[in-house]
Amino acid sequence: MPRNSIMPKSQIGNSELISQVNKCLVLEAVRVMQPTFRAAVARKTGLKPATITCIANELIAQGLLEEIPGKTENGRAEIGRWGRPPLMLQVNADSKRILAIDLEPDQIRVALSNLLIQPLVYREKPNDRFSTPQVILNKIIALCQEALQGVKRSSILGAGVSLAGLIDSESGVGISSTNMPKWRDVPVQKILEQKLKIPVRVERSLHLAALYERWSNPHLADRTTLIISVRTGVGMSMMHRGQLYVGNKGFDGEIGHTVIDIDGPQCECGNRGCLETFVSATAIAERARRAIANGKGRAIQAAIDVGDTLTPELIYRLARGGDDDCIAIVCDIGHYLGIAIANVINLFAPHEVVISGSIDLAEDLILDAIKDQVNKSALPRTRENTLIRLARERERLPLLGAAVLVAQQVFELPRLSHTTAQEQVWTAPQMAPILAAR
Ligand SMILES: [Zn+2]
């Protein structure tokens, strides 16, 4: 498992790098506790108060932190020892802009956020998954240019890109995606950097979903969490004690291609009976068509007749509206997801399982069906200690994670790195005691 890499061992004596690590630690501590006093930052980071003062002054001068008059818990201005209110620190959210891009087989999303990953501009457009890479990239570039209009280039920290399927994150190449057949060896990072003239980083959507979940839930720092993403495909990412698990070459989390019925339908990956053949967008549409062919699914047919497209969202919406045939489809999806989730709960005994994805319109129905199945299939002791919940940001999780990928340069967060064991790196938590002693 890669660690949150800050610097190679050979560079540990480099004082500039140590100062950079300390700045990241302080910024992250302020972000999590803000607004907060310098003394609290010193306690959280283990750094000496004098060091905190020095770093905070430097970060204020750089525009990344700002000072505000201190307040007590009930919101009243606090009076300091010298009759003036003591100053608190907070992140200067507007000091930087971050561009985030999420390419899903059926949807392209683009956001411009501030340094605290609060979206200021949001654009989305349907994607035709059978298009050529050139057509898809042109669409992305047009949306990005729209989002960047009027933004000072010097304030842009960079762009993060979330891609489905297999990628090489070091070179920023999209290798393949089972749901986008023409998408092969696409140099996404290179093309976007040339067109947008800003630094670009590319990562798998699954990893980015986990990254945002960790960013918005600081308590996950000491928990084991599984994030299940139900989108066009189904994927999983895992954080163990707050650190993201990244498999060999970054190819992990393919829960959608775990087999739950060896005699099941043919999957696009070549196997039979993968989870995805029961719960993917294609599988849901197929199930709806079968219902109509069997004389059921009248509400679905009526919606299609007035111009609706047969998508999971349509089925979710009708289920939410009380249509029994669509409720049955949604419960089936929850049932199959529950089988797969019970298996991983038995394997990893996580503290939390977080469900994310395009399920907004049927979230309670799916969650209840998943919980029912997990209660039947997972080992009792393990399941009783696992919280199953929905992510706050459903389908936007990877998009916001793409922004966090860029913000990582500034804050001390788990780094995404695909380094091998030979390239062992020092991590900020490992270094904190060394730095604190200085
Ligand atoms: Zn498969």
Side-chain angles (χ1 to χ4, degrees):
M1 187 185 302
R3 323 294 290 265
N4 49 337
S5 54
I6 294 291
M7 67 182 72
K9 268 181 185 171
S10 57
Q11 294 182 37
I12 196 155
N14 186 326
S15 63
E16 205 177 301
L17 276 165
I18 290 171
S19 136
Q20 191 55 42
V21 172
N22 283 347
K23 276 188 199 171
C24 290
L25 282 171
V26 170
L27 267 167
E28 173 63 358
V30 173
R31 177 185 83 83
V32 170
M33 301 189 295
Q34 74 169 17
T36 187
F37 292 107
R38 285 170 171 76
V41 179
R43 277 195 300 275
K44 185 150 184 87
T45 57
L47 294 169
K48 290 176 182 165
T51 312
I52 298 292
T53 301
C54 182
I55 293 173
N57 289 345
E58 220 175 301
L59 291 168
I60 291 165
Q62 285 175 10
L64 291 170
L65 283 185
E66 56 191 7
E67 287 177 312
I68 58 162
K71 289 202 170 108
T72 57
E73 270 177 18
N74 57 21
R76 276 205 302 263
E78 208 170 78
I79 303 301
R81 259 189 296 174
W82 314 106
R84 281 180 308 183
L87 295 172
M88 295 179 103
L89 294 170
Q90 67 180 20
V91 172
N92 182 2
D94 285 324
S95 59
K96 296 287 173 200
R97 293 285 180 265
I98 298 170
L99 187 67
I101 300 152
D102 175 24
L103 170 59
E104 240 202 302
D106 296 321
Q107 199 76 9
I108 298 170
R109 301 182 181 88
V110 167
L112 184 76
S113 86
N114 62 15
L115 193 52
L116 288 176
I117 322 297
Q118 294 155 335
L120 308 167
V121 180
Y122 178 71
R123 298 271 183 279
E124 63 173 22
K125 225 175 198 176
N127 182 40
D128 175 4
R129 62 166 102 170
F130 300 102
S131 299
T132 61
Q134 201 181 354
V135 170
I136 295 174
L137 284 170
N138 284 344
K139 240 185 215 181
I140 292 176
I141 290 161
L143 284 177
C144 289
Q145 283 165 341
E146 232 178 282
L148 288 173
Q149 252 175 23
V151 179
K152 252 201 297 177
R153 288 296 148 128
S154 59
S155 71
I156 302 172
L157 208 52
V161 186
S162 158
L163 290 185
L166 298 183
I167 70 152
D168 178 347
S169 70
E170 298 299 325
S171 60
V173 171
I175 298 170
S176 67
S177 163
T178 45
N179 292 309
M180 295 195 293
K182 290 186 185 147
W183 191 260
R184 295 247 169 247
D185 299 319
V186 187
V188 178
Q189 181 181 326
K190 197 171 147 200
I191 294 171
L192 292 183
E193 280 186 344
Q194 274 170 2
K195 293 282 179 188
L196 301 173
K197 313 267 185 257
I198 53 175
V200 174
R201 283 194 66 191
V202 177
E203 191 45 72
R204 294 188 79 196
S205 57
L206 291 175
H207 294 157
L208 294 176
L211 211 56
Y212 182 75
E213 204 50 29
R214 166 77 175 79
W215 163 277
S216 54
N217 296 284
H219 77 277
L220 296 182
D222 53 10
R223 294 171 85 88
T224 298
T225 316
L226 303 178
I227 291 105
I228 309 287
S229 166
V230 186
R231 309 219 294 174
T232 311
V234 186
M236 184 189 89
S237 43
M238 179 167 83
M239 274 180 296
H240 179 55
R241 307 284 170 196
Q243 300 294 310
L244 188 72
Y245 174 84
V246 181
N248 189 13
K249 305 273 184 200
F251 301 166
D252 56 89
E254 294 290 354
I255 193 174
H257 296 287
T258 53
V259 176
I260 58 169
D261 178 0
I262 51 170
D263 298 317
Q266 181 81 42
C267 179
E268 287 180 52
C269 75
N271 276 334
R272 280 197 167 273
C274 294
L275 172 65
E276 236 172 74
T277 62
F278 295 95
V279 301
S280 70
T282 318
I284 294 169
E286 185 50 41
R287 211 173 281 259
R289 275 190 215 101
R290 238 181 295 142
I292 294 169
N294 292 336
K296 294 178 167 182
R298 288 203 189 92
I300 308 170
Q301 187 60 59
I304 295 170
D305 289 344
V306 295
D308 269 316
T309 314
L310 181 47
T311 59
E313 286 71 24
L314 172 65
I315 305 299
Y316 295 157
R317 175 158 59 82
L318 294 173
R320 191 69 182 225
D323 180 71
D324 286 341
D325 297 327
C326 291
I327 290 175
I329 295 175
V330 169
C331 288
D332 257 10
I333 295 165
H335 161 76
Y336 288 115
L337 283 170
I339 293 173
I341 291 171
N343 285 340
V344 287
I345 287 178
N346 284 345
L347 274 175
F348 297 112
H351 295 90
E352 289 185 30
V353 174
V354 183
I355 316 287
S356 73
S358 336
I359 52 167
D360 287 41
L361 302 164
E363 50 193 33
D364 305 340
L365 288 169
I366 285 198
L367 190 65
D368 288 347
I370 289 172
K371 283 182 177 171
D372 272 358
Q373 190 56 47
V374 168
N375 282 338
K376 285 180 200 149
S377 306
L379 295 171
R381 281 293 175 92
T382 318
R383 140 199 114 208
E384 281 158 17
N385 294 311
T386 305
L387 170 75
I388 303 179
R389 65 172 171 90
L390 296 164
R392 248 194 318 258
E393 295 283 349
R394 312 275 191 274
E395 83 285 354
R396 291 202 311 174
L397 211 55
L399 176 77
L400 298 173
V404 176
L405 183 70
V406 177
Q408 279 188 138
Q409 306 165 36
V410 175
F411 299 96
E412 201 319 89
L413 285 162
R415 308 271 145 163
L416 277 170
S417 159
H418 299 246
T419 47
T420 61
Q422 289 80 29
E423 296 159 354
Q424 177 64 45
V425 287
W426 280 87
T427 71
Q430 281 173 326
M431 287 192 61
I434 303 167
L435 303 171
R438 286 170 66 88

